[in-house]
Amino acid sequence: MRLLALFVLILLIPAAAAEANHTPQEVDDGDLFLAWIDVDGSYEEVKFYVCTLAEPFTCYAPQKVPRDEAEANSDGSYRYSFTHEVNEGTYPGYRYELCTGDCKDDNRTKTPAGADDQYPGLEVVDLNDSGSYYFKVERKAAPAAEEDEGLPALALPVAAFVIAWVARRR
């Protein structure tokens, strides 16, 4: 009987937890990324915060979405979606603030709340060791600099030829 109760509890936990993610997973300068969070109906508003996770540590004005503007899911939860354009050379991160009632301090839940928060596919980082946690948005890897192999590849045989020619003339 205890095993059955534990099994039911395990099945209910994911339904109560918020699901968060973003797309695309890697961004470049000027790209827009879409972030979303699915939460139960008890939240009346979600705020979306974006900060840069590297120098200069810049935070942008939060975006707010009330529940009546959120997309209702078939399971009774709501999806709150946000977009952000990546500025040149920045490394963005984002977090959510879930609000019930008047959204005062005791009615707010931050997501992620700590470094130990686990969200599949997302990395949680501490913003400049401030105790404020954000989901990291990966930057696209810089393309490898193409080497001009024409000149170095040609220089070695030409140099060897010139040295051999000078050595024979003496």
Side-chain angles (χ1 to χ4, degrees), residues 50-65:
V50 176
C51 290
T52 58
L53 302 177
E55 291 286 343
F57 296 102
T58 304
C59 292
Y60 304 95
Q63 299 175 37
K64 300 176 192 178
V65 173

Side-chain angles (χ1 to χ4, degrees), residues 99-122:
C99 300
T100 59
D102 57 6
C103 206
K104 298 288 184 202
D105 286 342
D106 56 345
N107 295 332
R108 296 184 303 169
T109 304
K110 292 181 182 178
T111 302
D116 296 334
D117 283 6
Q118 298 292 315
Y119 290 85
L122 297 177

Side-chain angles (χ1 to χ4, degrees), residues 34 36-41 65-81:
L34 171 70
W36 67 88
I37 186 166
D38 292 336
V39 296
D40 65 39
V65 173
R67 183 174 47 215
D68 60 345
E69 293 178 17
E71 178 184 337
N73 295 325
S74 61
D75 63 358
S77 66
Y78 290 86
R79 174 165 286 188
Y80 295 82
S81 300

Side-chain angles (χ1 to χ4, degrees), residues 11-136:
L11 290 178
L12 291 177
I13 288 174
E19 178 188 344
N21 211 334
H22 63 269
T23 187
Q25 293 299 310
E26 293 181 343
V27 296
D28 206 355
D29 293 345
D31 286 353
L32 277 177
F33 73 88
L34 171 70
W36 67 88
I37 186 166
D38 292 336
V39 296
D40 65 39
S42 66
Y43 297 104
E44 296 177 17
E45 178 181 84
V46 173
K47 293 180 184 176
F48 176 69
Y49 295 85
V50 176
C51 290
T52 58
L53 302 177
E55 291 286 343
F57 296 102
T58 304
C59 292
Y60 304 95
Q63 299 175 37
K64 300 176 192 178
V65 173
R67 183 174 47 215
D68 60 345
E69 293 178 17
E71 178 184 337
N73 295 325
S74 61
D75 63 358
S77 66
Y78 290 86
R79 174 165 286 188
Y80 295 82
S81 300
F82 304 90
T83 58
H84 179 76
E85 183 176 351
V86 179
N87 291 334
E88 185 177 337
T90 62
Y91 295 84
Y94 64 94
R95 70 177 171 91
Y96 301 101
E97 190 172 84
L98 314 173
C99 300
T100 59
D102 57 6
C103 206
K104 298 288 184 202
D105 286 342
D106 56 345
N107 295 332
R108 296 184 303 169
T109 304
K110 292 181 182 178
T111 302
D116 296 334
D117 283 6
Q118 298 292 315
Y119 290 85
L122 297 177
E123 180 182 352
V124 176
V125 296
D126 188 350
L127 178 65
N128 196 24
D129 296 324
S130 66
S132 189
Y133 297 94
Y134 286 77
F135 294 116
K136 182 178 182 181

